[in-house]
Amino acid sequence: MIALEKRPEPSQLWSWLTPPLAVVLTMIAGGLMFAALGKDPVEAIRTIFWDPIFGEFAFYYRGQLLVKAGPLILIAIGLSMGFRAGIWNIGAEGQYIIGAICGAAVGLAFYPWASFIVFPLMILAGALGGFLWAMIPGILRVKFNTNEILVSLLLVYVAEFILASMALGALKNPDGAGFPGSRNFRSYPSGYNEEIIAGSGMHWGVVAAFIAVIFAYVLFARHQMGFQIKLAGQAPRAARFAGVNPSRLILFCLGMSGALAGLAGMFEVTGPAGQVSIDFNVGYGFTAIIVAFLGRLNPIGILLAGLLLALTYIGGEAAQSSLGLPAAAIQAFQGMLLFFLLAVDVLTNFRVRFGKREVA
Amino acid sequence: MTDLLTLTGLTKAYPGVVANDDVSLSIKPGEVHALLGENGAGKSTLVKMIYGLVKPDAGQMQFRGQPFTPAEPRAARAAGVAMVFQHFSLFEALDVAENIALGMENPPKMRDLAAKITDVSNAYGLPLDPSRLVGDLSAGERQRVEIIRCLLQNPKLLIMDEPTSVLTPQEVEILFKTLEKLRSEGTSILYISHKLEEIRRLCDAATILRLGKNVATCNPRQETARAMAEMMVGEVLHVPERTPHRATEVALELRGLSINAPSAFGTSLKDVTVTLHRGEVLGIGGVAGNGQDELTAVLSGELPAAAGHVFFKDRDVGPLGPNARRQIGLLAAPEERLGHAAAPDMSLTENAALTGTIRKSLVNNGFLNWGLAQKFATDVIKDFDVRTPGAHTAARALSGGNLQKFVIGREILQRPEVLVVNQPTWGVDAAAAAAIRQALLDLAAEGAGIIVISQDLDELMEISDRFAALNEGRLTAPVPAVGLTVDQIGLMMGGAHDLEPANA
């Protein structure tokens, strides 16, 4: 018989061991799935995890790694603050879109003025846009006790319509011969989020992500606000007893995650995406939820998880083109990762005992 | 006469803990047998085995001379074992008769059942109207529903799990009359409690459990309460020393404080007026759920009051939050240790920072000084003899008594001018309880004003200078605790509602 018994304290060792264990289990289960689809599992796993970093075309993929990981990490860091406090911002995708629109709009308003001040203003506008969009569920929750999960999620769809309207209307490229989409920032150097080192994928958004990781690490480890966030998430009554103001905490967490998601959107639309188009968003805001949990809501963990998930995206695309794996199989593979992570999570708080239960 | 129930070598282990280790006891017909022990000593596990809720790992039970292995409570009830739980399982939206019918295998027609309920309640002096909604009943009356439900089965053995914890002294008196009548009719009672005076009065024999083991069997009438307490804890007890209080300046004053309960199940406070002096211990008694939690929350600042009702050294502090109150020296320790006074999964260092940041200056420009926090936690652990591997241990890994010592110690070491504690020794072993009471008295001797809210009347009589009682959100005028009789206390707590002793 297999029995689970609760540990007196959560195991530190296992909380660090479970993510790699989940990755290994995903590889095994995913390999079985690929084999069932008639592909060589070893080949497929190698294409997904190895080739993008060390394979023949790694020079291209390596840059993509940071391009994809940057926004994921930036958004996930913001989300992790709320998630730790039990405040569930599911609408980072919407804040990402609004941040992108606001940042781009400020840049386009200055077009074609060439000045070093344009890009910093765009950054501020992007953060502010995401912040304000996240304030909607925040203020509704604080004032009327609405559910921030629903409100933030539904606002994603509102944001998508605003995006479509902007791409087809206010922000449409006047010189674009009627095609939807804004001016391309590649042709406006003052507002373009350029690669800092050519070919590395390192743009300002990735820099911002690294800064966010350090900022969040210090916040959680040393700052009173980080302690209050943790306290509110683990023991809400104790938090009130400790003098934590729940409304302030909700607004801080939602505002922070909104601002970071807005930044991510702004860096994306003015860099890798290049222009405001109807569908420039590819779901980073949702994937970042997985990244936040895969990284155990820990800044360093999120950094690694963001890189890992970016790798499965890039490797997944490579496997689709070179091995002919269906896109759905890649998505299922990514889903397995979260599934196994949550499943082995139980080992942090419980230990497994084999054999018959005996009298201790 | 042969024994009614004999337990031989009962053993039950849960992962990581042996709840019962080779426990033997026997109950004679018509005997009130006490089962004594601290929280966690294994009392509940033992009675759950008798009632068929838990299966023993080893050992035998014999009931009326036959081997007894109830697979489920139904089998135990069929054999003649009934149990009144500490927490009632009643539906508030149904009336008394309906609730009782729900627990029966073959309920008779409602009219017959109602008549039977009235008969039994009259016979045993437990007045109860079968047509009243349970939601309208007091805790004492709800307990009577449970008792009558059991009596309708004509049990040979009645198990009662801490029945007096929800009763006023008068209600306790009535209950004891009922139990004595049952005994005279030959029904045996297994009576679980840790209130020693009660057991000395009521019980014919006592089995004392400690850490799952049967450590002693005695006749409680021939032992002192103190001797039994020492058997329970296994060490010599230290009785708190009292220095009499002389009236001094006012530390805290409540003037006509009324406040709505924050939750639907709470109790609103109504026109609470009281003065606390420096160096004084004010004991506040009352049956649970009469506004204790709300009063604690208003005093700690978790439930801010309107201006003009709460005064700390003549300063209006009603609207201030918990941290602003800590700043000026008004500290509190709520009843619930895990999840309210302390965060279960956090280390003791983090829990020290939970309330200590202001008075212990643990924060500098918003940044926590974890080194200082750890030192503070270590000081609490050392000064209050908290048994734990160290400050890094999670709060939930501590036993109730040790965590309570930590929680109280954390507030006392912050040198409060006024300290409010709710149930400071609830579920705490006798030795730790004595240490906590002594620490509170020491703090008062240094000039702090202390409010102790408790349901343990012995505790309040032991440490209070003045006593007041909460009853449905109203606070009685405080009276000197010296010379107060149980009757007077009972009247202050709201007395007994429509109760009469059993017709013996």
Side-chain angles (χ1 to χ4, degrees):
Chain A
M1 201 175 89
I2 301 172
L4 283 176
E5 72 183 46
K6 192 155 170 113
R7 298 175 190 273
E9 289 184 84
S11 160
Q12 286 292 312
L13 176 69
W14 275 106
S15 75
W16 283 104
L17 273 182
T18 47
L21 180 65
V23 172
V24 170
L25 288 171
T26 309
M27 286 186 181
I28 295 169
L32 290 173
M33 176 179 72
F34 296 142
L37 289 167
K39 312 290 175 191
D40 178 355
V42 178
E43 172 90 17
I45 298 290
R46 206 195 67 211
T47 309
I48 295 172
F49 285 105
W50 182 262
D51 286 359
I53 309 178
F54 303 108
E56 199 181 338
F57 301 104
F59 63 89
Y60 169 72
Y61 289 128
R62 275 182 210 159
Q64 284 298 303
L65 196 63
L66 286 181
V67 168
K68 290 224 186 315
L72 286 177
I73 294 168
L74 195 52
I75 302 171
I77 289 286
L79 292 180
S80 70
M81 295 177 188
F83 290 176
R84 279 197 183 203
I87 297 160
W88 306 101
N89 178 9
I90 306 297
E93 184 78 0
Q95 294 135 22
Y96 172 85
I97 292 171
I98 298 296
I101 293 174
C102 292
V106 166
L108 293 168
F110 284 119
Y111 181 86
W113 184 45
S115 168
F116 71 93
I117 199 75
V118 173
F119 196 64
L121 285 177
M122 290 165 66
I123 294 178
L124 283 179
L128 190 67
F131 172 82
L132 291 176
W133 201 246
M135 275 300 106
I136 300 174
I139 289 170
L140 286 176
R141 158 99 193 248
V142 169
K143 291 275 171 220
F144 303 108
N145 204 22
T146 56
N147 184 323
E148 78 279 8
I149 301 178
L150 283 175
V151 177
S152 64
L153 178 62
L154 292 178
L155 281 172
V156 172
Y157 305 105
V158 178
E160 282 178 347
F161 280 112
I162 294 176
L163 172 65
S165 147
M166 287 296 159
L168 298 170
L171 296 182
K172 195 166 78 165
N173 184 356
D175 307 326
F179 282 102
S182 72
R183 280 181 204 282
N184 198 310
F185 283 90
R186 286 188 184 87
S187 56
Y188 178 37
S190 287
Y192 182 50
N193 173 20
E194 206 173 2
E195 266 185 309
I196 298 165
I197 305 162
S200 66
M202 176 69 97
H203 61 70
W204 289 111
V206 180
V207 175
F210 287 140
I211 294 173
V213 168
I214 295 166
F215 169 80
Y217 185 84
V218 173
L219 181 86
F220 286 139
R222 296 258 154 225
H223 200 271
Q224 202 178 6
M225 186 50 113
F227 178 62
Q228 295 190 344
I229 286 172
K230 194 174 157 194
L231 193 56
Q234 291 191 2
R237 282 186 82 194
R240 225 162 308 142
F241 176 58
V244 177
N245 178 338
S247 300
R248 225 184 86 203
L249 199 70
I250 289 167
L251 294 180
F252 174 85
C253 289
L254 283 173
M256 195 57 125
S257 57
L260 291 183
L263 274 181
M266 177 269 153
F267 285 121
E268 184 73 13
V269 80
T270 58
Q275 61 172 163
V276 177
S277 58
I278 292 180
D279 52 2
F280 91 92
N281 60 315
V282 289
Y284 283 139
F286 291 118
T287 311
I289 298 172
I290 303 181
V291 172
F293 279 107
L294 196 60
R296 326 209 113 270
L297 306 182
N298 174 301
I300 309 295
I302 287 171
L303 177 70
L304 299 174
L307 289 168
L308 177 71
L309 223 69
L311 184 64
T312 67
Y313 268 102
I314 297 160
E317 276 170 31
Q320 280 176 53
S321 57
S322 64
L323 300 177
L325 274 170
I330 301 298
Q331 283 169 8
F333 186 74
Q334 287 163 347
M336 281 178 194
L337 193 56
L338 186 63
F339 170 83
F340 280 114
L341 183 82
L342 295 176
V344 295
D345 208 26
V346 80
L347 294 173
T348 313
N349 274 308
F350 291 83
R351 82 177 104 226
V352 181
R353 276 208 345 202
F354 298 97
K356 202 177 171 311
R357 250 197 325 206
E358 58 206 87
V359 178
Chain B
M1 208 182 321
T2 57
D3 291 337
L4 176 78
L5 175 73
T6 318
L7 311 181
T8 324
L10 274 192
T11 298
K12 176 72 196 174
Y14 291 110
V17 57
V18 186
N20 282 157
D21 187 3
D22 195 19
V23 175
S24 303
L25 69 84
S26 58
I27 302 174
K28 295 183 180 65
E31 176 182 79
V32 181
H33 193 107
L35 191 55
L36 260 169
E38 299 173 4
N39 287 46
K43 294 170 295 182
S44 295
T45 305
L46 188 67
V47 293
K48 280 178 183 167
M49 290 193 282
I50 301 172
Y51 196 55
L53 281 164
V54 169
K55 244 180 89 170
D57 295 331
Q60 284 92 41
M61 293 191 272
Q62 282 209 324
F63 190 66
R64 301 165 86 183
Q66 303 290 316
F68 182 56
T69 52
E72 51 175 351
R74 201 196 316 213
R77 282 199 296 266
V81 178
M83 180 158 173
V84 176
F85 288 89
Q86 198 177 357
H87 302 284
F88 309 140
S89 45
L90 298 171
F91 294 92
E92 299 201 346
L94 299 181
D95 70 27
V96 170
E98 286 166 337
N99 262 292
I100 288 176
L102 274 176
M104 300 178 92
E105 308 297 336
N106 298 304
K109 285 209 175 67
M110 288 313 276
R111 194 184 305 162
D112 301 343
L113 183 62
K116 263 173 120 173
I117 291 170
T118 313
D119 286 350
V120 172
S121 72
N122 285 338
Y124 292 97
L126 297 169
L128 196 60
D129 179 352
S131 62
R132 277 183 73 193
L133 278 188
V134 166
D136 298 335
L137 302 183
S138 71
E141 289 171 313
R142 287 175 199 216
Q143 184 182 59
R144 274 179 249 157
V145 180
E146 294 276 12
I147 294 174
I148 287 174
R149 174 189 272 175
C150 290
L151 295 186
L152 284 173
Q153 304 161 21
N154 293 320
K156 301 284 171 293
L157 174 68
L158 179 63
I159 304 172
M160 304 206 73
D161 192 358
E162 304 208 3
T164 55
S165 57
V166 296
L167 303 181
T168 62
Q170 274 82 355
E171 287 174 323
V172 169
E173 208 52 38
I174 307 291
L175 175 71
F176 282 6
K177 292 260 162 48
T178 303
L179 295 183
E180 275 157 14
K181 183 160 167 62
L182 278 169
R183 164 166 61 191
S184 70
E185 292 172 357
T187 309
S188 304
I189 295 163
L190 183 57
Y191 188 90
I192 304 172
S193 181
H194 52 238
K195 296 190 182 168
L196 300 166
E197 287 303 337
E198 243 173 65
I199 284 170
R200 292 190 58 226
R201 225 205 87 183
L202 181 73
C203 299
D204 309 303
T207 295
I208 297 168
L209 293 182
R210 185 166 78 227
L211 302 172
K213 286 194 174 71
N214 181 347
V215 288
T217 305
C218 64
N219 180 344
R221 296 200 172 101
Q222 291 166 4
E223 302 284 342
T224 62
R226 180 169 172 158
M228 285 195 289
E230 286 173 356
M231 283 190 255
M232 263 162 72
V233 256
E235 54 189 280
V236 178
L237 288 178
H238 166 78
V239 178
E241 295 153 20
R242 203 67 200 89
T243 2
H245 167 257
R246 286 197 316 262
T248 49
E249 59 203 278
V250 172
L252 184 79
E253 197 180 353
L254 299 181
R255 295 182 197 156
L257 171 73
S258 294
I259 200 154
N260 283 329
S263 81
F265 306 104
T267 308
S268 300
L269 297 178
K270 298 170 194 93
D271 195 22
V272 173
T273 299
V274 70
T275 309
L276 175 74
H277 299 95
R278 294 193 57 214
E280 178 189 40
V281 179
L282 173 68
I284 295 182
V287 176
N290 273 296
Q292 286 91 339
D293 289 347
E294 289 76 11
L295 184 61
T296 314
V298 167
L299 291 173
S300 75
E302 290 166 87
L303 184 62
H309 297 291
V310 186
F311 293 87
F312 177 84
K313 296 198 290 188
D314 287 333
R315 179 178 162 190
D316 187 353
V317 298
L320 296 184
N323 282 332
R325 295 191 191 199
R326 285 183 186 120
Q327 188 84 50
I328 56 175
L330 170 52
L331 270 55
E335 172 182 3
E336 183 68 42
R337 293 183 282 267
L338 284 175
H340 195 178
D345 287 326
M346 287 193 172
S347 69
L348 294 180
T349 299
E350 288 171 296
N351 273 300
L354 196 125
T355 66
T357 49
I358 291 168
R359 291 184 80 78
K360 285 283 164 181
S361 306
L362 304 179
V363 171
N364 188 4
N365 289 326
F367 286 90
L368 276 156
N369 186 333
W370 287 119
L372 281 182
Q374 188 185 357
K375 188 182 171 297
F376 177 38
T378 315
D379 288 348
V380 176
I381 291 168
K382 209 172 87 231
D383 289 8
F384 287 82
D385 188 28
V386 179
R387 315 252 165 94
T388 169
H392 56 86
T393 315
R396 78 172 194 220
L398 268 64
S399 73
N402 276 311
L403 185 55
Q404 188 69 28
K405 283 195 276 187
F406 182 82
V407 165
I408 301 279
R410 178 182 70 186
E411 305 306 325
I412 289 179
L413 283 196
Q414 294 183 47
R415 305 268 134 239
E417 297 199 32
V418 170
L419 178 63
V420 179
V421 290
N422 189 358
Q423 297 272 63
T425 60
W426 179 79
V428 169
D429 64 68
I436 288 170
R437 288 174 197 143
Q438 185 61 53
L440 291 172
L441 291 175
D442 291 347
L443 183 67
E446 287 166 27
I450 299 178
I451 294 181
V452 179
I453 300 172
S454 177
Q455 278 146 52
D456 185 339
L457 290 177
D458 296 338
E459 166 171 289
L460 291 176
M461 288 305 108
E462 191 176 307
I463 65 174
S464 305
D465 296 300
R466 286 188 302 154
F467 174 85
L470 269 171
N471 182 20
E472 294 179 350
R474 289 188 179 82
L475 188 70
T476 64
V479 295
V482 177
L484 216 50
T485 66
V486 171
D487 271 346
Q488 287 168 320
I489 293 172
L491 286 174
M492 289 174 79
M493 284 167 65
H497 305 286
D498 66 81
L499 276 176
E500 53 190 77
N503 318 312

